[in-house]
Amino acid sequence: MTTEAGQTAQTVQALSPRRVTWLRRRDAAVRSWKSFARHRIGVAGLVVLVLFALMAVFAPLLANSNGLEVTKATGPVMGAPSSHYWLGTDESGRSVLTLLIWGSRVSLFVGLFATLISVVIGTLIGISSGHFGGRIGGLLFRLTEWFLVIPFLPLALVLASLLGASLVNIAFVIGITSWPGTALLIRSQTLSIEARPYMERARVLGAGNWHQMTRHVLPNVMPMVFANTTLTVAGAILAETTLSFLGLGDPTRVSWGTMLDSAFSNGAMSLGAWWYLIPPGVCVVLVVLSFTVVGQALEEIFNPRLRQR
Amino acid sequence: MTEPLLDIRDLHVTYRTLGGSVPAVRGVSLSIQPGESVGVAGESGCGKSTVASTILRLQPRTAKVEGEVHVLGKDVVRMRWGRLRVLRWAEASMIFQGALHSLNPVQRIGDQIAEPMRLHDATVGKVAAARRVGELLEQVGLSAARARSYPHQLSGGQKQRVMIAMALACNPSLVVADEPTTALDVMVQAQVLDVMTGLVRELGIGLLLISHDLSVLSSTCDRVAVMYAGRVVESANAGRIFDDPQHPYSAALAAAFPRVGDPKSRYSPAGLAGDPPDPQRLPTGCTFHPRCHWAIEDCSRIDPRLEPAGTDRTDRMVACIRAGETVGEAT
Amino acid sequence: MTAAAEVGVEPLPDVPQQRARSSRRSTGLWFLVRKLFGAATSLLFMLVVNFFLFRVIPSDPVRTLARGRATTPKQVAALTKTLGLDQPLPVQFLTYLKNTATGQFGVSFQYRQSVGSLLIDRLWPTLALVGTSTILSILIGLWMGTLAAWYRGQMFDTISTTGTIVLYSMPEWWLGLILFFLFAVGFGPIPGVFPIGGLIDPGVNGSSVHGVLNMAWHLTLPVVTLTIAYLAEYALIMRSALLDEMGEDYLVTARAKGLRDVLVRRRHATRNALLPVVTLVALNLGFIVSGAITIETVFSIPGLGLLTTDALKIPDYPVLQGAFLVFSASVIVANLIAQLLYGWLDPRVRL
């Protein structure tokens, strides 16, 4: 990589400005990756995430989807772990391990989709409220602050109940209720970038709002958005689990949250069915924890002020 | 001869970092007599602030200190913590760059000035302390009512005056001022310096003034020591070191802050090429030789010692192998 | 601090000198007015959200707001008129505002009882639960965060920081399920000593000393759960606020004055670090409300949270609407209190 960077310098005239920018960005990405690789806990989190992602993608190979259907369940009711059912069975005799593997799909999908919605809204509002001063910026900032004080869970519960339970709706509800934090962060980043001399230069040279925002602000805000996204996924997965636990999950799909909901409502606790209670929770904690530590590692890389910690 | 207020003998300070040990101060000796003002000049990173921090043992934990630092005859380096806390502020106080962050942002300045008084003398009551705070504030040219202000309500120069008032709170014998005016603009700098040196002289307090500005030091101090790469390279009478520097580095520092209307400064080379050396990779021989205009071959081999030199030999020490020659005339 | 400017963390708003010099009393009053106004607009916004959520999103508001009652077209028409749904939206909104202000939230489908009185009945178990655990978690969390920051990098810091991040990643109700399973049901050698849900044993008079102790016993496990769940966040916030503060120059000044390390910490660093923490704690209140909802469900405590999750199953929209209002309003009020507290504590904020 370094040799190519060297070549870049020599052949810089032969390349279009766009390519130079691209190469420079790639070099920056390589540097960021290298500093991330030095962050041991972050790397461990990434490994866990990759394992869970593989589990979600290859779920059909790992566990037969027939195992999800109540009618085709063959195991004992709330059976303890055995050589055949490694993690025991649920109230309908389905294998908890099978449910767990398939549940990872829903939890990860909802987490990522909700984050996408949240980050898109948050970034748009954050950049606009930071970039446009005056009334528009002020109004957007106010809006963000208002949304910030609405308690998340009650709003999400009401919305989910009104919209009806489906995966997309759940993701939408989480996305629409969790963007203000991102927006505030992006706004403050935008404000500090706006104050830099090259923005002044761009304005003097006649750059329009769109050009300023997409060419100057967005690329500089991107790293923080990226770090924040990772942390948002952690929150979104937690939110999905909580909404599902409270009975608002998609009834046709198994997620870790719905598993815990049925464990709770079918008396897994009084029956002593720890194999039904512990594994889904541990999976949630592992995935959320991994997203959190990866996000913190990224924050540290992109925000040197935190590096001394 | 009376006992010196401050007597630093062969001080070495080394910072332990992840990248190895970094020598910041490499054998500095310095003394201040009662009522005397001594300046220490040098570029940033030359170790002058580290020297200042050892006087009240405020250096960071990663610093290893060797040598002796006597304040009023007692060695601070080996002092017990309890004794040290008694010495801090009561016998020697410090003026930091208060214009920045050296004042607690959420305490009234009156409380901050009164804090050391009541700490060091339990007999001082609230009322007495408040009265004394008012006196101190008036001494530094602020109104006594300012005691109720918070730091953010004051300008940079006012904050620095508060720092001075605070430093005088316990009637110390020695005041160490570490770049007290660096963050201020020029006019305010002059006012604050006047207030400080005036009070120090009036009260007969010893002053150690640290600055990168040789012209400031030469006009406010009795003696000046110039530091480079953790060592004193020249020390002399304040006026003489500015008008007639013997070490090439002092000459460069003096030229960097010319006196207005001084024709000599017009012809002398302003500024100095290159950067101060990396303390972990010091040059061989004289540490200054890579940047020196007058360096000869021997300079990269011989590490010069601080020795009496020049026409005023009794009063001047220079660490340069060419000090005996009339290098000063090269300008 | 210089690094902060380079990286682009928004600096604290600069204090205009002239304004700071004007009389203290009037700036304090101005600050109070501004904060009150801010809270009022937030409250209004929240009322608008609450209004639109229940009247605009559902395709059939009559059904949504009066489910199970209006079956014949005639009844629907009558109800539309009673609810004022035939009026234009602004009029509807004004009626809604008037009803809210006078405490008329409608009638619960499930309980056939006025939502207002239902909410008041269910308020105090939630207050007891959330109040106790908030206070406990703030005290323990801040203490842990302080210790972790002072002994940064040492064993206590490593353990507490790891522990807090794990707790932070854990749904609080799952922790509740586990604690319930271990200590209320009992598992293996652990006897289940705590009650398995509810607020009080049947037949016990709640206003007697015995009754109060009985309730405290019922609330122990939920309070422990919520305290553990909340303290993680406070410990993390306090630790990082204190670490920020510890790099500051004024602490060197304090040490130079001859203060003992303990005093430097207590009088200067910790006190100043607490200031930003107050605001962050306030921003956390939304999260606390969520905790009440799930934990009351797990431990079947008849508070606002259980009322909400029970209403979700029906769904009992008048109850949901009322509960949402109470939750949001309490967050706004707590937020306002925290901001006023911050302004009172930190002179730099009273612009």
Side-chain angles (χ1 to χ4, degrees):
Chain A
M1 285 300 164
T2 42
T3 51
E4 262 190 69
Q7 281 167 5
T8 327
Q10 284 162 12
T11 55
V12 76
Q13 266 122 357
L15 298 167
S16 69
R18 194 161 284 223
R19 178 143 174 79
V20 172
T21 318
W22 190 82
L23 283 174
R24 205 188 294 144
R25 296 239 164 94
R26 200 193 53 188
D27 279 352
V30 168
R31 267 199 311 278
S32 303
W33 167 250
K34 280 185 180 154
S35 35
F36 182 81
R38 262 183 264 127
H39 206 285
R40 269 185 301 156
I41 300 171
V43 172
L46 191 65
V47 169
V48 174
L49 288 183
V50 168
L51 288 179
F52 271 99
L54 290 175
M55 180 166 119
V57 171
F58 295 109
L61 299 178
L62 294 170
N64 194 331
S65 63
N66 283 340
L68 296 175
E69 286 177 44
V70 182
T71 47
K72 291 181 186 160
T74 48
V77 171
M78 293 264 187
S82 61
S83 58
H84 193 234
Y85 299 103
W86 291 353
L87 288 177
T89 53
D90 72 349
E91 74 280 357
S92 331
R94 297 179 293 179
S95 159
V96 171
L97 185 61
T98 304
L99 297 178
L100 209 58
I101 291 170
W102 284 86
S104 65
R105 290 191 146 193
V106 174
S107 297
L108 287 177
F109 168 77
V110 173
L112 293 174
F113 191 52
T115 303
L116 184 71
I117 298 174
S118 158
V119 167
V120 168
I121 301 178
T123 308
L124 276 178
I125 295 199
I127 288 190
S128 323
S129 87
H131 178 74
F132 297 107
R135 209 166 287 172
I136 306 175
L139 189 74
L140 287 173
F141 180 54
R142 260 283 115 84
L143 192 74
T144 316
E145 280 197 319
W146 283 333
F147 264 98
L148 206 61
V149 293
I150 297 184
F152 162 75
L153 192 60
L155 178 62
L157 288 179
V158 167
L159 265 179
S161 155
L162 287 169
L163 292 172
S166 80
L167 282 194
V168 175
N169 277 356
I170 294 270
F172 173 75
V173 165
I174 297 171
I176 206 94
T177 46
S178 59
W179 61 267
T182 308
L184 280 190
L185 177 81
I186 301 300
R187 177 179 186 269
S188 73
Q189 291 285 308
T190 306
L191 283 176
S192 80
I193 288 161
E194 293 272 337
R196 290 184 195 172
Y198 64 79
M199 283 300 289
E200 185 66 25
R201 201 198 61 178
R203 273 190 288 270
V204 170
L205 290 176
N209 280 329
W210 179 250
H211 180 90
Q212 287 176 38
M213 289 206 287
T214 54
R215 287 296 163 78
H216 294 285
V217 179
L218 198 61
N220 282 296
V221 172
M222 260 351 251
M224 281 310 282
V225 171
F226 191 48
N228 180 256
T229 304
T230 322
L231 294 173
T232 312
V233 180
I237 291 178
L238 271 182
E240 187 276 332
T241 316
T242 302
L243 290 179
S244 301
F245 173 69
L246 294 175
L248 292 169
D250 188 334
T252 62
R253 303 289 186 117
V254 174
S255 81
W256 296 331
T258 56
M259 285 175 78
L260 286 166
D261 179 28
S262 37
F264 176 65
S265 32
N266 289 299
M269 288 187 293
S270 36
L271 292 171
W274 55 268
W275 57 88
Y276 199 8
L277 283 174
I278 309 277
V282 169
C283 285
V284 172
V285 173
L286 271 179
V287 169
V288 173
L289 186 63
S290 304
F291 272 113
T292 309
V293 294
V294 170
Q296 282 177 344
L298 290 175
E299 252 184 355
E300 250 171 71
I301 291 165
F302 297 133
N303 187 353
R305 199 171 87 98
L306 298 171
R307 234 175 246 174
Q308 318 113 3
R309 306 261 164 89
Chain B
M1 192 170 144
T2 52
E3 187 184 51
L5 286 177
L6 176 70
D7 192 8
I8 298 175
R9 291 178 210 154
D10 197 25
L11 180 72
H12 289 257
V13 183
T14 312
Y15 290 110
R16 288 177 303 246
T17 66
L18 290 177
S21 58
V22 181
V25 178
R26 306 178 300 128
V28 165
S29 297
L30 199 72
S31 73
I32 298 181
Q33 302 301 322
E36 192 184 23
S37 297
V38 173
V40 175
E43 285 166 295
S44 40
C46 72
K48 56 192 196 301
S49 288
T50 303
V51 170
S53 71
T54 58
I55 295 169
L56 289 181
R57 215 205 275 172
L58 292 168
Q59 69 275 3
R61 273 160 209 248
T62 54
K64 189 171 143 234
V65 178
E66 287 162 306
E68 292 165 34
V69 178
H70 293 270
V71 175
L72 298 167
K74 285 152 292 191
D75 187 4
V76 175
V77 176
R78 274 162 279 273
M79 196 175 271
R80 286 191 304 120
W81 281 105
R83 177 73 194 86
L84 179 70
R85 280 198 297 270
V86 173
L87 175 134
R88 282 177 174 178
W89 222 259
E91 288 164 36
S93 64
M94 272 191 94
I95 297 174
F96 300 96
Q97 292 189 19
L100 295 170
H101 307 289
S102 295
L103 293 170
N104 188 333
V106 297
Q107 270 187 14
R108 294 183 198 279
I109 57 165
D111 296 340
Q112 298 190 52
I113 298 174
E115 187 177 34
M117 293 181 205
R118 305 195 60 198
L119 185 78
H120 289 287
D121 186 353
T123 61
V124 178
K126 262 194 178 165
V127 183
R131 195 175 338 113
R132 174 96 177 101
V133 167
E135 285 168 20
L136 283 165
L137 284 174
E138 273 163 9
Q139 272 185 333
V140 296
L142 295 171
S143 84
R146 273 283 174 216
R148 292 190 56 77
S149 300
Y150 289 97
H152 72 270
Q153 295 168 321
L154 304 178
S155 69
Q158 288 171 325
K159 275 189 257 190
Q160 202 53 51
R161 285 163 193 256
V162 170
M163 272 312 297
I164 295 169
M166 198 191 287
L168 300 177
C170 297
N171 301 314
S173 320
L174 175 69
V175 170
V176 180
D178 186 2
E179 304 259 7
T181 57
T182 304
L184 306 177
D185 56 51
V186 183
M187 293 304 289
V188 182
Q189 257 186 36
Q191 292 169 2
V192 169
L193 275 175
D194 281 350
V195 168
M196 185 174 76
T197 47
L199 282 171
V200 162
R201 208 147 281 163
E202 197 180 304
L203 301 167
I205 296 172
L207 174 71
L208 181 67
L209 179 57
I210 313 261
S211 175
H212 60 273
D213 188 337
L214 194 57
S215 67
V216 162
L217 294 180
S218 68
S219 60
T220 48
C221 295
D222 304 321
R223 274 191 305 128
V224 170
V226 174
M227 277 186 74
Y228 186 78
R231 279 196 190 164
V232 174
V233 292
E234 179 168 7
S235 79
N237 174 289
R240 302 278 301 155
I241 205 163
F242 193 79
D243 296 333
D244 179 25
Q246 291 293 308
H247 193 280
Y249 179 65
S250 316
L253 262 191
F257 298 97
R259 273 183 191 166
V260 179
D262 180 0
K264 218 173 87 183
S265 65
R266 285 218 212 141
Y267 304 104
S268 60
L272 190 58
D275 293 315
D278 176 355
Q280 277 186 288
R281 272 181 292 277
L282 289 172
T284 55
C286 172
T287 50
F288 185 60
H289 83 266
R291 300 169 77 189
C292 183
H293 293 297
W294 302 307
I296 53 173
E297 219 175 288
D298 274 347
C299 290
S300 60
R301 285 199 303 269
I302 302 168
D303 189 3
R305 290 201 327 208
L306 197 60
E307 284 166 338
T311 46
D312 47 351
R313 305 182 65 91
T314 49
D315 198 28
R316 188 191 292 258
M317 308 275 276
V318 181
C320 179
I321 54 169
R322 297 189 69 188
E325 307 167 36
T326 49
V327 281
E329 309 314 309
T331 48
Chain C
M1 281 325 278
T2 45
E6 282 161 24
V7 178
V9 173
E10 194 180 2
L12 279 172
D14 218 345
V15 185
Q17 291 286 330
Q18 318 86 290
R19 230 201 230 169
R21 288 207 186 109
S22 66
S23 104
R24 208 174 318 111
R25 188 163 302 160
S26 80
T27 53
L29 196 67
W30 174 233
F31 176 78
L32 184 74
V33 168
R34 261 196 356 210
K35 290 299 160 197
L36 282 175
F37 181 74
T41 51
S42 291
L43 204 64
L44 191 67
F45 175 74
M46 203 264 309
L47 286 169
V48 173
V49 167
N50 199 13
F51 174 75
F52 275 92
L53 270 182
F54 288 89
R55 314 228 170 179
V56 178
I57 292 180
S59 49
D60 187 357
V62 181
R63 256 169 204 273
T64 305
L65 288 171
R67 224 182 82 122
R69 286 201 162 181
T71 40
T72 66
K74 203 177 142 201
Q75 277 175 311
V76 170
L79 226 109
T80 308
K81 209 166 159 60
T82 340
L83 288 169
L85 289 172
D86 50 345
Q87 306 280 322
L89 269 186
V91 179
Q92 282 188 44
F93 184 64
L94 284 178
T95 320
Y96 158 80
L97 278 187
K98 201 187 89 198
N99 287 345
T100 307
T102 51
Q104 292 168 351
F105 299 108
V107 176
S108 157
F109 307 149
Q110 196 185 358
Y111 300 93
R112 308 273 162 192
Q113 186 187 349
S114 124
V115 172
S117 68
L118 198 60
L119 290 175
I120 290 171
D121 285 351
R122 299 296 194 89
L123 187 62
W124 75 264
T126 304
L127 277 182
L129 173 65
V130 170
T132 319
S133 22
T134 303
I135 293 168
L136 283 178
S137 58
I138 288 177
L139 291 178
I140 303 173
L142 297 190
W143 173 75
M144 276 177 64
T146 312
L147 280 188
W150 282 117
Y151 301 106
R152 177 180 156 202
Q154 294 178 26
M155 187 128 98
F156 179 83
D157 181 30
T158 314
I159 293 174
S160 90
T161 308
T162 313
T164 44
I165 290 181
V166 171
L167 279 176
Y168 190 60
S169 309
M170 188 181 289
E172 69 284 346
W173 48 266
W174 186 67
L175 179 68
L177 287 180
I178 300 300
L179 291 181
F180 186 96
F181 182 58
L182 289 179
F183 300 109
V185 177
F187 180 68
I190 306 167
V193 286
F194 286 96
I196 51 163
L199 186 61
I200 191 161
D201 285 326
V204 176
N205 178 8
S207 50
S208 66
V209 176
H210 175 62
V212 170
L213 287 176
N214 190 271
M215 271 188 263
W217 184 236
H218 276 81
L219 280 175
T220 307
L221 218 42
V223 165
V224 168
T225 310
L226 271 188
T227 305
I228 295 176
Y230 297 158
L231 74 80
E233 178 124 18
Y234 299 136
L236 284 177
I237 293 172
M238 186 63 195
R239 178 176 180 272
S240 82
L242 200 51
L243 285 181
D244 269 352
E245 219 52 53
M246 272 160 64
E248 295 291 325
D249 293 340
Y250 67 82
L251 293 185
V252 181
T253 312
R255 282 205 296 142
K257 283 176 180 175
L259 257 64
R260 286 169 181 278
D261 276 4
V262 185
L263 273 184
V264 175
R265 291 176 202 181
R266 208 181 297 151
R267 216 185 265 178
H268 293 274
T270 312
R271 261 186 55 180
N272 291 13
L274 277 174
L275 299 175
V277 170
V278 171
T279 334
L280 291 166
V281 164
L283 284 177
N284 244 14
L285 289 169
F287 164 74
I288 286 179
V289 168
S290 312
I293 294 177
T294 54
I295 293 300
E296 284 178 14
T297 309
V298 169
F299 290 94
S300 13
I301 293 173
L304 286 178
L306 190 61
L307 183 70
T308 310
T309 47
D310 280 345
L312 280 174
K313 289 178 190 136
I314 306 293
D316 192 344
Y317 286 109
V319 169
L320 279 182
Q321 198 175 13
F324 178 68
L325 202 69
V326 173
F327 284 134
S328 320
S330 61
V331 171
I332 290 173
V333 169
N335 233 319
L336 176 68
I337 293 173
Q339 285 190 356
L340 295 182
L341 197 65
Y342 190 26
W344 180 61
L345 289 171
D346 190 341
R348 286 169 299 182
V349 183
R350 287 191 301 249
L351 302 187

